Amino acid sequence: MADVRDILEINNSTPGDNSTVTKEAIVGSNKSKKSSKSQPVVKRPEGMNREVFALLNFEKGPQDVDEISTPSGGYKQVKAKLGRSRVRRWCWAPFANPARTDGACLYHWRRITDAAKPYPFSKFNIQAKVFTYTPEEYERYLHDDTGSNWTKDETDHLISLCKTFHLQFVVIYDRFDADRFPNRSMEDLIERYYDIRNRLIKARSLDEDTFVFDAAHEASRKSQLQKLYNRTPKEVKEEEMLMVELKAIEAQRKERVKGQEGLARLVIASDRKETKHIISGRKSLKKKSQKKKGDQSQTSTDTAIIKFPEKSSGVWLRSSRMKMPMSIGQKKTKAVEQFLADYDLPPAPMPTEEICQAFNELREKILLLLNVRQLADSYEYESQTLKHKLEALNRGRDALQLKSGQRSIMYLTFTNIICVQISVTMG
């Protein structure tokens, strides 16, 4: 019993006491032992928020409260610790903006050390380079020969606006004097300016890039954008439906092309296999039967439409050669099995060498037949769909012709009535 007490770490109150072991002695009493030391209660300083007081840590004692408390028990505000370095001096300094040409002098506050520096925002004053010309250059190079009939005064006015508004052609078009000069579109203004620029670069032999502006293309682009913006909700919905139909047509086309490629591969493989069988049959009959069977099996392996499992190392069953590969797919595998069941053929015949080879060739041809049948059905469906669409278009065209014929008959009848009324009046 003493060993049990030692293992369970139960101390004897008196030596030689052989009393029984109780449950409370082993498990322990449920009553929690009261701590002998009571934690000191720390009061919240006056003026401190309750949330701030809850963030304090009192595990090591109330020294944190003592540091932020005043002798009277209040909350002590911490003073800001400012540096002792001298404050940099500022002055009311004048400055000139290089973007202005009127020589205006403005003032702002700046540090004394930066008073002599140039205006820092002048680096953002980036102006576009506008090409100008002399009267001699205009007479020699800039005459309008495009058929737009630009005069020198009109060209001078355009260049002046380009310099004033920094090639912002939206503003230039708005400020162009349409009373003095012909009404020009924005594309005409842009095309004329860049034509002048390219001619001057070529005449002066400058090392700069030339830009060709296509006014007709820009006008067409804006017209199409305007039509796109002016669409009604009904037209937008109709366009979305057309896009959905287009995606469906593209998916069908890709599926059809994929089926055609797979069918072509099957047909080519079948033709190669038949050709090799004929060539192997014309070989010399003096070879041994075992060697001939090996050649035939090798030929069927090289030209197989379906890659059936081959002999592997170790123990294997000949029936495993008749197992359909996973690449064929579950749907086509079931279709081949259903085709065999329709003609009362067993799905797993006796796996001899000749039966395995013949059974695999039969299923290859069945798969080829099913693919051809599926492709023919898809072509038949597409032809019927196109036929119905053609009939619908013909009915719509006949209806339009009928309406136009009715309108012409009504017009002739109305004309005849008016002629009769005029003849009666004149008579």
Side-chain angles (χ1 to χ4, degrees), residues 368-400:
L368 178 60
L369 177 61
L370 293 176
N371 288 332
V372 172
R373 185 183 296 175
Q374 182 181 3
L375 191 61
D377 292 340
S378 64
Y379 280 143
E380 181 66 23
Y381 175 76
E382 289 182 4
S383 63
Q384 292 295 332
T385 304
L386 294 175
K387 184 178 179 181
H388 291 320
K389 288 183 179 180
L390 181 60
E391 291 176 356
L393 291 175
N394 290 333
R395 286 196 298 268
R397 185 178 61 184
D398 295 339
L400 290 175

Side-chain angles (χ1 to χ4, degrees), residues 221-272:
R221 185 188 68 83
K222 288 184 178 179
S223 176
Q224 293 175 3
L225 185 62
Q226 188 67 26
K227 291 178 181 179
L228 185 66
Y229 181 77
N230 292 333
R231 290 179 303 167
T232 60
K234 183 178 179 181
E235 292 175 346
V236 173
K237 188 175 181 180
E238 183 179 358
E239 184 178 353
E240 291 177 354
M241 293 175 62
L242 291 175
M243 292 300 297
V244 172
E245 293 180 2
L246 178 61
K247 290 182 179 179
I249 292 172
E250 287 292 330
Q252 292 177 2
R253 185 186 65 81
K254 291 181 179 179
E255 189 68 24
R256 184 174 65 253
V257 170
K258 185 178 179 181
Q260 290 176 353
E261 292 177 353
L263 180 60
R265 287 195 298 269
L266 291 175
V267 171
I268 292 171
S270 179
D271 293 342
R272 288 180 179 176

Side-chain angles (χ1 to χ4, degrees), residues 177-190:
D177 194 352
D179 297 333
R180 293 171 50 197
F181 307 108
N183 190 11
R184 305 281 187 179
S185 63
M186 188 187 303
E187 290 77 18
D188 294 336
L189 302 179
I190 301 174

